[in-house]
Amino acid sequence: MITRIGAIVPAAGRGERLGAGRPKALVEIEGAPILVHTVRAIRSVPEIGRLVILVEPEAVERARQVLAPELRGGPEWQCAGGGADRQESVWRGLQILGGAVDVAVVHDAARPLVSPALIAECARVAAERGAAIAAVPVTDTVKELDAEGCVVQTLDRTRLWCAQTPQAFRFALLQRAHERALREGWRATDDAALVERDGVRVWVVLGERANLKITAPEDLAWAAWWLRSRRDLR
Ligand code: CTP
Ligand code: MG
């Protein structure tokens, strides 16, 4: 059987920490909005047949205009308004995808440097095993602090990994976890946390250090440099 794969791109954040005065997804790096770089990576994965992008409700029209030329001849796509937080934006994406796919890959708009190969690998492992996320080993030593800012303990780094997106799941399994989260009031900053809490094993695929989440202004310069060097290599 052919696995039908869909992608959900939460892009409805306000980008408070970036402080650009407009939605982070529409801030440009190397001549194109962050969201366009992200969508180009997804479009380069031929297995992805459907794509749902969630943006701030007021930015839906603008985003559609920006995305249309990028997605011509590509997957079936929709752009809709996101929710008040990331979890709600993904939930809306799930409802739009409905039962049309077997595997859903969630990838943050704020990670435009992801490689198509990493997206494809997460989807492949999720189709096989149920749930797969990209993550990289922690390189700093991690401390737990008390409320006063004093170290309580040093954690064992060898077992700590930083979760990224892409995060891919069999559709039914992700939908069930989100439904349960709604019922039971769980809040999480990634989808895997909900799926884990629902009792499902989540497999880790080695992520990419370059797959940085654009968060603060200095990340823009780094991302621009990376995109330029990647272009020069081709
Ligand atoms: N996101 C979303 N809907 C929200 C909030 C966040 O779709 N209501 C998305 C963001 O657009 C981003 C991803 O979730 O692609 C990760 O969020 P984050 O990096 O925190 O982005 P922002 O929320 O935009 O940034 P900040 O927290 O600095 O405001
Ligand atoms: Mg945020």
Side-chain angles (χ1 to χ4, degrees):
M1 197 193 89
I2 294 170
T3 309
R4 300 166 304 165
I5 303 172
I8 296 174
V9 176
R14 298 158 58 101
E16 305 272 3
R17 287 167 290 181
L18 194 60
R22 58 195 163 127
K24 181 158 79 179
L26 296 175
V27 171
E28 296 203 354
I29 306 179
E30 290 294 288
I34 291 175
L35 176 59
V36 166
H37 291 291
T38 306
V39 161
R40 282 178 187 160
I42 293 171
R43 206 213 140 137
S44 305
V45 182
E47 294 89 344
I48 293 181
R50 296 186 69 132
L51 170 58
V52 178
I53 300 143
L54 294 309
V55 300
E56 277 200 300
E58 317 80 69
V60 170
E61 275 316 313
R62 205 144 37 102
R64 280 188 187 138
Q65 281 165 14
V66 167
L67 292 170
E70 294 296 330
L71 287 165
R72 199 159 292 139
E76 225 181 281
W77 66 282
Q78 268 159 292
C79 179
D85 61 14
R86 185 188 180 281
Q87 187 173 323
E88 203 180 313
S89 293
V90 173
W91 170 243
R92 292 192 182 187
L94 281 170
Q95 285 168 304
I96 293 170
L97 273 183
V101 301
D102 306 305
V103 167
V105 186
V106 184
H107 183 66
D108 287 343
R111 294 186 186 270
L113 306 180
V114 67
S115 73
L118 184 58
I119 300 171
E121 179 62 4
C122 288
R124 189 188 69 73
V125 177
E128 215 174 272
R129 301 187 180 183
I133 67 170
V136 289
V138 165
T139 52
D140 294 327
T141 299
V142 182
K143 310 280 186 187
E144 183 187 330
L145 307 194
D146 64 18
E148 289 167 293
C150 195
V151 173
V152 175
Q153 63 163 330
T154 300
L155 301 172
D156 174 14
R157 189 172 73 187
T158 58
R159 298 182 52 178
L160 296 177
W161 289 61
C162 296
Q164 305 182 332
T165 66
Q167 300 196 344
F169 310 89
R170 283 194 202 121
F171 183 84
L173 195 151
L174 182 60
Q175 189 180 43
R176 188 184 70 194
H178 268 265
E179 271 166 7
R180 187 159 171 206
L182 265 181
R183 269 199 320 273
E184 305 196 13
W186 301 344
R187 306 310 295 172
T189 51
D190 75 352
D191 297 283
L194 304 178
V195 169
E196 291 154 28
R197 205 161 162 184
D198 194 35
V200 172
R201 303 228 297 160
V202 174
W203 297 85
V204 168
V205 166
L206 184 61
E208 295 162 345
R209 290 191 40 98
N211 180 23
L212 144 102
K213 186 161 69 117
I214 307 288
T215 305
E218 60 266 32
D219 298 336
L220 292 174
W222 197 89
W225 172 82
W226 179 262
L227 286 166
R228 277 199 306 275
S229 17
R230 205 163 65 179
R231 196 173 47 215
D232 295 346
L233 276 176
R234 273 206 228 110

